[in-house]
Amino acid sequence: MSVSDDSRMPPTRVDHVGIAVEDVDTAEQTLFALGCERVHRETVADGSFEWATYVLGDASRLELIAPVEGESFLTDYLDANGPGLHHVTLEVADIDAAIEALEEAGERVVGYSVEDGWTEAFVSPQNPTGALFQLMEYHDDYADKGPDEALFVHGERLQNE
């Protein structure tokens, strides 16, 4: 099934690959050995997990996510699968248009939420790739987390054409 001409995906690109780990401090040593530089680290408001973003070269980005306190989707994931690839994040210029295009193409989109700095939704991993795709549209205030050249692929947010 293909997306119809009247419901095309808005501009989209790979933002980062998320890797689930038991502990960011331990796991990031491998990323440092690969030449990555950490550009951001944050614990979510409820304290259940933390995430850190790393750049490698001029556009490649990785994210480590690790549990901090209590049970969460992440502890369940690690118990079932161990450390490893968790999700692929796609930056979209217009998340609502992206969701519409995907649903028209027969994809199941779940977990829509507005966060501090971005809006996200997920393409269920019950698709033929088996991958969890996070769709993310940045808000203007995301830039408050650090310098644009580190936070965004090629230093700027994706825009509608």
Side-chain angles (χ1 to χ4, degrees), residues 21 23 38 46 60 63 76 121 123 137 142 157:
V21 298
D23 177 73
R38 183 181 348 124
D46 71 4
S60 300
E63 175 184 80
D76 292 343
V123 176
E137 180 182 350
Y142 188 78
R157 289 174 42 197

Side-chain angles (χ1 to χ4, degrees), residues 42-106:
E42 180 175 336
T43 300
V44 296
D46 71 4
S48 62
F49 72 95
E50 68 176 326
W51 54 283
T53 305
Y54 304 80
V55 295
L56 178 63
D58 68 345
S60 300
R61 294 149 39 91
L62 300 170
E63 175 184 80
L64 297 178
I65 54 175
V68 175
E69 279 188 31
E71 297 293 315
S72 70
F73 76 92
L74 195 50
T75 54
D76 292 343
Y77 180 87
L78 288 166
D79 287 346
N81 302 290
L85 177 65
H86 182 265
H87 64 273
V88 176
T89 297
L90 303 176
E91 181 187 0
V92 294
D94 181 336
I95 196 163
D96 295 322
I99 290 168
E100 182 179 331
L102 287 162
E103 288 177 340
E104 285 184 13

Side-chain angles (χ1 to χ4, degrees), residues 1-2 5-6 11 15 29 33 43 52 56 66 82 90 93 104 112 126-127 135:
M1 182 178 287
S2 64
D5 289 338
D6 61 342
D15 185 82
Q29 297 310 309
T43 300
L56 178 63
L90 303 176
E104 285 184 13
Y112 183 96
Q126 295 173 340
N127 69 67
L135 307 172

Side-chain angles (χ1 to χ4, degrees), residues 16 26 34 92 102 104 158:
H16 65 269
T26 301
L34 290 167
V92 294
L102 287 162
E104 285 184 13
L158 195 56

Side-chain angles (χ1 to χ4, degrees), residues 87-161:
H87 64 273
V88 176
T89 297
L90 303 176
E91 181 187 0
V92 294
D94 181 336
I95 196 163
D96 295 322
I99 290 168
E100 182 179 331
L102 287 162
E103 288 177 340
E104 285 184 13
E107 298 297 332
R108 184 169 164 241
V109 180
V110 298
Y112 183 96
S113 66
V114 177
E115 303 293 334
D116 181 25
W118 69 91
T119 299
E120 68 184 8
F122 297 87
V123 176
S124 169
Q126 295 173 340
N127 69 67
T129 70
L132 174 64
F133 291 99
Q134 176 188 31
L135 307 172
M136 179 176 60
E137 180 182 350
Y138 286 113
H139 302 167
D140 290 339
D141 64 345
Y142 188 78
D144 296 343
K145 295 184 183 294
D148 287 355
E149 63 273 4
L151 294 177
F152 304 109
V153 173
H154 296 299
E156 48 186 58
R157 289 174 42 197
L158 195 56
Q159 303 292 320
N160 270 321
E161 296 172 346

